[in-house]
Amino acid sequence: MRFFKSMLAAGVVGLTAFPASALEVEVGGQVNRAVMYAKDGYSANNLGVGSDTEFYHVDNRNSPTRFNIGGTQRLFGGWTAGALIEVGVFSNASNDVDPTAKNTDPEVDERITDAFVDTPYGKVTLGLGEGAAYNTGRRDYSGTGVISFRNPNLIGGSLRYKLKSSSFKRTFDGSGNFTGNEPFDLANPAQNESSISGSIRDYNFEGRHNRIRYDSPRIGPATVSASAGHDGDGGASSVLQVGVKSGLRVPGGRMLVGVGYSRATQNNEDPGGSDGEDVNIYGGSVSYFHSSTGLNLSLAAVNRAQKLTEEESTDTFDATNSELGQFRYVKLGYRPNRQHAFDIHYGETRDRNKEDEKGSVIGVGYVWSPTDMFDVYGGAKIHSFERAEWCTTSGRTCYNPKYEDITIVTTGLRVKF
């Protein structure tokens, strides 16, 4: 159970110009475990070999097991300072397991290490945490995020699509004359493998990273945020973000709106940096809740743009030859009260790796929350992947891969404390 601890700083009065005040410390966390069933999801270089169905005991990465401790203290009229540390502690992450790795090593994930000052003029946060645009593409009134989260690859992300036996390649001679069709060598898929993570992603504005962030006071119904920091191996990317979030009353109910933009500039002079081009991510989401019925609708659209290097644009065997990835998502929910929440959702990412490809998911979810501290949930989803014919630079081989769908059913418990 969450608890608060107050400590009176009476002895500090003579050491500071500010009056003493109570320090509130909050300790909490959660455990989130699930059983995941998958059909036609295989491990790397093992497409279609072995059992086509598997069960996994996992930590649900939609909302992973974690521990946090935070504290706040009033400084003086309208000014508050505080800090938050949040650490994920889990094993068998739901986006890591596959048929050859049903048990994965325990993992400690530093999620947030923040210090902040909140004032009448806005809030300044310094440390590891969310950038200004983070989650602006994930606004959601459905109440089913623990099972039907906006980022579909967090459950089953390492599972790979089985190549169908109908996959084939067209071959040509040195003069460009067609010489026939040949079946794939499934043991050597030649850059035609793809995992769920490799096919679909919601592009959440560079994720958590070390930054300084400013959040404005409410300007009408909205809050404006800006941040600057570093991300990637060795801090290889300088990240700038802006975001706007709003919650407002609208006819018949309530609405959440988010819009964000991030730019990651590659520091190529850094030995640990990337030689790639800058990455721009832009988009947002909206969620509407109808008060009298509990029906809700959420929509999201986020794009990721990265100019390709000459090598990437000409090397057809490279995993990436698309400059613009596009994520689109719609969720219809029903939440008649605080105890029950249902949803049906569809999402797709186009051109995640190569041009003219699409990773998609359609799913349903249900969450029962008899108390604020306890959730029981279940859901099912089907992942699909399509890739258009693509040819090698020489033009002598053109691949036409076909993929089996992956079905995943997950049920679990989340207990907060």
Side-chain angles (χ1 to χ4, degrees):
M1 178 178 294
R2 292 175 181 265
F3 64 88
F4 294 90
K5 183 178 181 181
S6 294
M7 295 178 287
L8 295 178
V12 184
V13 174
L15 302 178
T16 177
F18 305 125
S21 60
L23 171 66
E24 292 186 338
V25 177
E26 180 180 351
V27 179
Q30 65 180 35
V31 174
N32 190 358
R33 299 295 299 184
V35 177
M36 186 179 86
Y37 162 87
K39 178 175 174 57
D40 283 327
Y42 294 88
S43 57
N45 302 314
N46 198 31
L47 304 183
V49 179
S51 173
D52 64 347
T53 61
E54 299 284 351
F55 282 92
Y56 304 90
H57 297 273
V58 298
D59 198 287
N60 182 349
R61 281 304 306 271
N62 282 347
S63 179
T65 296
R66 70 189 67 163
F67 173 83
N68 56 68
I69 180 170
T72 59
Q73 185 171 27
R74 183 175 61 83
L75 301 177
F76 53 91
W79 289 62
T80 303
L84 173 64
I85 297 174
E86 182 173 284
V87 178
V89 184
F90 45 83
S91 63
N92 287 8
S94 57
N95 59 340
D96 286 344
V97 294
D98 69 25
T100 59
K102 296 186 184 71
N103 289 335
T104 61
D105 292 336
E107 185 176 348
V108 177
D109 177 26
E110 183 187 9
R111 293 167 59 87
I112 299 174
T113 306
D114 265 347
F116 66 86
V117 177
D118 199 356
T119 81
Y121 310 102
K123 181 180 180 181
V124 177
T125 308
L126 185 63
L128 173 66
E130 301 171 355
Y134 191 90
N135 279 347
T136 55
R138 295 174 171 176
R139 307 292 271 168
D140 188 357
Y141 266 129
S142 71
T144 61
V146 68
I147 182 63
S148 301
F149 192 54
R150 191 62 51 85
N151 188 357
N153 74 62
L154 292 179
I155 292 182
S158 290
L159 300 178
R160 292 180 174 261
Y161 295 96
K162 177 184 178 181
L163 280 163
K164 292 182 178 180
S165 58
S166 57
S167 300
F168 68 95
K169 57 185 178 181
R170 299 190 301 135
T171 58
F172 302 82
D173 63 22
S175 300
N177 298 312
F178 176 65
T179 57
N181 293 333
E182 298 178 12
F184 268 26
D185 176 5
L186 299 184
N188 183 27
Q191 298 298 317
N192 284 292
E193 285 189 87
S194 184
S195 65
I196 290 176
S197 290
S199 69
I200 190 167
R201 181 159 296 191
D202 73 335
Y203 302 129
N204 190 28
F205 301 97
E206 302 298 339
R208 298 182 181 91
H209 57 284
N210 287 292
R211 84 286 184 247
I212 182 170
R213 170 172 170 169
Y214 170 77
D215 298 282
S216 75
R218 286 181 68 88
I219 303 172
T223 299
V224 179
S225 305
S227 63
H230 292 91
D231 197 11
D233 294 339
S237 299
S238 297
V239 181
L240 296 176
Q241 295 191 17
V242 292
V244 179
K245 289 183 179 179
S246 178
L248 62 159
R249 296 281 182 179
V250 296
R254 307 186 298 274
M255 181 174 287
L256 297 172
V257 180
V259 178
Y261 170 80
S262 70
R263 180 178 180 85
T265 301
Q266 306 298 318
N267 300 322
N268 296 339
E269 70 277 10
D270 186 339
S274 168
D275 291 330
E277 299 291 336
D278 296 347
V279 177
N280 295 280
I281 301 176
Y282 54 93
S285 61
V286 60
S287 184
Y288 171 76
F289 184 88
H290 189 253
S291 299
S292 61
T293 64
L295 291 171
N296 51 88
L297 178 66
S298 300
L299 305 171
V302 181
N303 291 348
R304 180 186 187 276
Q306 180 178 14
K307 183 175 175 60
L308 297 178
T309 64
E310 182 178 354
E311 181 180 2
E312 289 172 328
S313 62
T314 57
D315 179 9
T316 53
F317 277 92
D318 195 284
T320 301
N321 68 358
S322 169
E323 292 192 345
L324 179 66
Q326 304 170 66
F327 176 75
R328 304 292 184 265
Y329 188 89
V330 57
K331 177 189 284 188
L332 177 64
Y334 175 55
R335 195 174 188 182
N337 51 51
R338 291 183 177 273
Q339 285 74 46
H340 301 280
F342 309 80
D343 86 87
I344 180 169
H345 59 273
Y346 173 80
E348 68 178 37
T349 299
R350 291 186 176 271
D351 306 335
R352 168 80 173 90
N353 307 291
K354 296 181 179 295
E355 294 180 348
D356 299 320
E357 71 173 28
K358 181 178 75 172
S360 62
V361 62
I362 184 169
V364 296
Y366 167 68
V367 181
W368 177 50
S369 306
T371 72
D372 291 340
M373 298 173 56
F374 182 72
D375 298 314
V376 181
Y377 57 85
K381 60 178 182 173
I382 299 173
H383 282 271
S384 302
F385 184 54
E386 303 170 16
R387 175 174 286 167
E389 178 182 83
W390 63 278
C391 302
T392 60
T393 305
S394 68
R396 298 189 64 174
T397 305
C398 294
Y399 293 94
N400 286 268
K402 312 295 179 184
Y403 301 89
E404 298 282 2
D405 294 343
I406 300 176
T407 300
I408 300 176
V409 179
T410 307
T411 184
L413 304 174
R414 178 171 62 176
V415 181
K416 304 173 186 178
F417 56 87

